[in-house]
Amino acid sequence: MSTTRLSRSIPFWVLVGGSVVAIAGGAYLLISKLTTMASTLTDGTATGVEVYAGQIWAVLGAILIGAGLVGLALALVLGALNSAVAPAADAVVVEPWEEDVVEVAAPVTASEPVVSSEPVVASEPVVASEPVVETDATPNTDAPRA
């Protein structure tokens, strides 16, 4: 069985761990405050701080338990969705392209067309030169003179 991406996801494990911590902290608050309230009320030594403030702490503990359970349910849904979706195809490793070096033996003139589908890599810097324009020796007499 291959390792899925979800099992290596840090945010997923933060969600699961945070949910478990919220449930544990909420359970501690709820149980400790309710136990304290129950024992002090039965023996008749209860104060207003233990009763009224204890109720608020117990409610906060119950809210933390609920939030932790929602987080665990969300993690369960994410795990189910991850297993329902087909895994992506394995990545294809493409080797780096090796450049073909073409050596120029003779200069190319205008009468020779150059057709190549491969890139040309020059071993020396290429210097641009002025284009050569060939003209006839006879002047054009058809054009009107100004």
Side-chain angles (χ1 to χ4, degrees):
M1 183 170 118
S2 66
T3 306
T4 61
R5 287 178 48 120
L6 188 61
S7 65
R8 290 181 276 143
S9 172
I10 292 175
F12 175 76
W13 289 111
V14 168
L15 175 65
V16 171
S19 299
V20 169
V21 168
I23 291 172
Y28 171 77
L29 272 177
L30 183 65
I31 292 169
S32 68
K33 295 304 175 182
L34 288 180
T35 304
T36 302
M37 274 188 350
S39 65
T40 56
L41 285 172
T42 53
D43 65 8
T45 60
T47 63
V49 172
E50 291 171 340
V51 174
Y52 296 115
Q55 290 176 6
I56 299 301
W57 282 106
V59 168
L60 177 65
I63 291 171
L64 285 175
I65 291 172
L69 289 174
V70 168
L72 281 180
L74 182 62
L76 180 65
V77 168
L78 285 174
L81 288 176
N82 187 43
S83 65
V85 175
D90 291 337
V92 177
V93 177
V94 178
E95 295 295 324
W97 179 60
E98 295 181 16
E99 296 181 350
D100 293 329
V101 178
V102 177
E103 295 183 17
V104 178
V108 178
T109 61
S111 63
E112 300 174 1
V114 177
V115 178
S116 175
S117 61
E118 297 181 16
V120 177
V121 177
S123 59
E124 297 178 8
V126 177
V127 179
S129 61
E130 301 260 340
V132 178
V133 178
E134 295 179 13
T135 59
D136 291 339
T138 59
N140 188 358
T141 57
D142 295 338
R145 292 190 173 184

